[in-house]
Amino acid sequence: MDLKSNHTAPVLADPVPLNKSRMGVHSSMLPYSSAAFSSDLFLNIPRKKTGILDDVRANSWLDAMKASSPPHRKIIKDSNNDLASTDADVAYRTWLLHYPSALTSFEQITNCAKGKRIALFLDYDGTLSPIVDNPDCAFMSDAMRAVVKKVAKHIPTAIISGRSRDKVYEFVGLKELYYAGSHGMDIMGPVEQFTSGDHPNNIMSTSKQGKEVNIFQPAREFLPMIDEIFSSLMENTKEIKGVKIENNKFCISVHYRNVEEKSWDTVANCVHEIIKHYPRLRLTHGRKVLEVRPVINWDKGKAVMFLLKSLGLSNCDDVLPIYVGDDRTDEDAFAVLREGNRGYGILVSAVPKESKAFYSLRDPSEVHNILLLKHFYVMEFLKSFVYWKQSSAL
Ligand SMILES: O=P(O)(O)OC[C@H]1O[C@H](O[C@H]2O[C@H](CO)[C@@H](O)[C@H](O)[C@H]2O)[C@H](O)[C@@H](O)[C@@H]1O
């Protein structure tokens, strides 16, 4: 199949504006039953015949790149900035009224969990590990690893990351968890409860720990294309100082965190020049990163539903799924949980953001800045689950 020559090409994705209403559901979210095991995963969105992005679109990329990662709040000393910091605090506290802290609302969450089983889904970068300049050094602390390990003893826990599944496993290193890489396009789940063993994108395998597992890769046929694009991106951006291209197996990250801002448009143009020839790939924005992904009807939200089903936890009545994440791609997961009041999304953020999440937790990197590790909020939240589970078992 020639993936390049599809004339009903999809629109290249600009960052998806969030619906202003918190109760709204992401428009691209189709019911799980119609997509999860269907071979018709490919989005088929008509776009202008030219397939070429105009300057306006290219400029909007640049705007989105500038907005993609607000600077961390600094501890500020002079009096002018004290004022600014106070304004920011007021804005944050006002925002908290809409997205209450998951820590202070912990009792409310556990009340909702009464008589239900909890399933926990965690994003990796910016959630379990602080955001750092070098993506290869986004290590999780030993303390965080220990807490995640303890939580997973009590609650089925999965990590759903934009990284390749192997890479995120390398960082986390816990065999007690389930892992989904490439924004959910590469899921390793348990064998026993899978219902679609004969699906073409489903492979029976043995994990590194020697366990029989099922691997679900809905974008498998894109692998050669992704490798090809990875080589082109490496070649075409090699003169741009600071750019880093990361191969995440079913998607590619083009990092511009370490590129001077005046060269960001060069990065955007380079990527644009390459992907305009691939109408079946799209571009999304993350934190100082452009991500090239296959246009398929699959995202972190679909991955959550898939894992719930494969774990035998898809019954809404006695399961409370909770998803903790910080990035735009996590919004798809927040949206499926909000849909039908299935569960709770928890947004990790130090700044006010529109979101489909119900609760919030502060950004761990801000905490690193002020060296208050004991307030590593995500870790504290996970610890609360361990205490709660341990005390309810007494
Ligand atoms: O879904 P996630 O687990 O949150 O992965 C999303 C992307 O995270 C990584 O990039 C981000 O974190 C880096 C390390 O802190 C940072 O340097 C970069 O600027 C961030 O965008 C990862 O490298 C990407 O491949 C993931 O897609």
Side-chain angles (χ1 to χ4, degrees):
M1 182 178 179
D2 178 9
L3 294 169
K4 278 187 187 175
S5 61
N6 182 340
H7 291 297
T8 51
V11 177
L12 287 172
D14 277 331
V16 181
L18 292 177
N19 188 331
K20 286 282 171 223
S21 150
R22 290 195 69 217
M23 297 311 292
V25 170
H26 195 292
S27 59
S28 70
M29 184 48 65
L30 298 178
Y32 171 65
S33 54
S34 68
F37 299 121
S38 151
S39 58
D40 186 21
L41 285 168
F42 303 109
L43 291 177
N44 193 18
I45 311 164
R47 74 167 169 193
K48 277 191 236 152
K49 265 277 163 66
T50 62
I52 294 170
L53 299 171
D54 56 26
D55 288 341
V56 175
R57 177 59 65 88
N59 284 342
S60 76
W61 282 20
L62 193 59
D63 291 343
M65 285 166 87
K66 287 184 178 158
S68 81
S69 187
H72 298 304
R73 283 200 284 152
K74 301 241 167 19
I75 301 299
I76 292 152
K77 290 274 175 273
D78 68 277
S79 57
N80 281 345
N81 281 332
D82 272 350
L83 214 57
S85 159
T86 309
D87 282 352
D89 287 342
V90 169
Y92 185 78
R93 279 200 294 272
T94 310
W95 179 77
L96 272 183
L97 298 174
H98 299 280
Y99 303 91
S101 155
L103 264 178
T104 51
S105 311
F106 191 74
E107 204 178 325
Q108 204 176 322
I109 295 174
T110 50
N111 281 341
C112 282
K114 281 211 175 101
K116 296 186 177 195
R117 286 168 295 167
I118 294 179
L120 190 59
F121 298 92
L122 304 167
D123 166 57
Y124 184 73
D125 288 279
T127 298
L128 295 180
S129 67
I131 293 293
V132 292
D133 285 346
N134 181 354
D136 293 336
C137 296
F139 304 114
M140 186 181 180
S141 68
D142 288 342
M144 180 66 100
R145 184 171 297 101
V147 175
V148 174
K149 188 178 163 108
K150 277 188 190 157
V151 167
K153 260 193 192 155
H154 301 284
I155 296 172
T157 304
I159 295 194
I160 305 188
S161 172
R163 304 263 188 177
S164 72
R165 184 165 47 78
D166 283 349
K167 184 77 190 176
V168 81
Y169 180 72
E170 198 183 306
F171 276 138
V172 178
L174 293 172
K175 58 182 183 334
E176 295 82 353
L177 311 181
Y178 301 100
Y179 292 88
S182 311
H183 295 296
M185 287 180 280
D186 188 5
I187 304 178
M188 188 188 270
V191 168
E192 341 47 273
Q193 319 238 20
F194 255 74
T195 51
S196 66
D198 56 351
H199 190 280
N201 291 322
N202 210 36
I203 315 155
M204 299 282 279
S205 183
T206 309
S207 74
K208 287 190 178 133
Q209 305 83 46
K211 251 196 313 188
E212 283 288 290
V213 287
N214 242 304
I215 295 177
F216 186 67
Q217 297 174 330
R220 217 142 51 97
E221 68 176 288
F222 285 83
L223 272 179
M225 185 188 280
I226 295 288
D227 285 343
E228 187 178 303
I229 247 218
F230 175 69
S231 307
S232 310
L233 283 166
M234 288 290 282
E235 179 58 30
N236 291 22
T237 59
K238 67 179 183 216
E239 305 297 338
I240 310 173
K241 199 163 162 245
V243 85
K244 180 171 173 69
I245 314 294
E246 189 182 5
N247 189 339
N248 288 330
K249 191 158 182 169
F250 294 101
C251 43
I252 307 279
S253 292
V254 180
H255 292 277
Y256 56 92
R257 181 171 292 279
N258 301 317
V259 175
E260 278 191 311
E261 197 169 327
K262 64 176 168 37
S263 303
W264 287 5
D265 58 341
T266 317
V267 178
N269 286 334
C270 252
V271 177
H272 161 215
E273 279 307 307
I274 295 172
I275 76 158
K276 72 181 184 190
H277 301 295
Y278 294 84
R280 303 205 65 199
L281 295 179
R282 68 186 173 126
L283 195 73
T284 55
H285 299 258
R287 299 174 76 157
K288 299 247 161 66
V289 66
L290 297 173
E291 300 197 278
V292 181
R293 314 163 58 159
V295 179
I296 63 163
N297 189 10
W298 199 264
D299 52 39
K300 286 188 174 187
K302 296 277 196 303
V304 165
M305 298 308 287
F306 187 93
L307 274 162
L308 283 172
K309 186 154 184 154
S310 42
L311 290 162
L313 297 173
S314 53
N315 180 355
C316 294
D317 297 335
D318 66 4
V319 176
L320 182 73
I322 293 177
Y323 186 106
V324 189
D326 72 315
D327 212 345
R328 289 182 210 199
T329 56
D330 300 313
E331 289 294 333
D332 294 315
F334 298 155
V336 286
L337 297 189
R338 180 174 279 279
E339 202 178 349
N341 287 325
R342 221 179 238 128
Y344 294 130
I346 299 175
L347 175 67
V348 180
S349 180
V351 291
K353 274 185 199 168
E354 188 64 37
S355 173
K356 296 272 183 346
F358 263 89
Y359 294 106
S360 68
L361 284 169
R362 279 212 184 215
D363 186 334
S365 48
E366 184 196 36
V367 173
H368 272 230
N369 285 350
I370 58 177
L371 300 172
L372 271 174
L373 276 170
K374 68 184 167 63
H375 286 138
F376 203 140
Y377 298 90
V378 174
M379 196 159 75
E380 293 299 310
F381 177 69
L382 299 178
K383 271 187 198 163
S384 307
F385 269 124
V386 177
Y387 298 142
W388 173 65
K389 275 285 176 185
Q390 283 171 343
S391 54
S392 48
L394 293 175

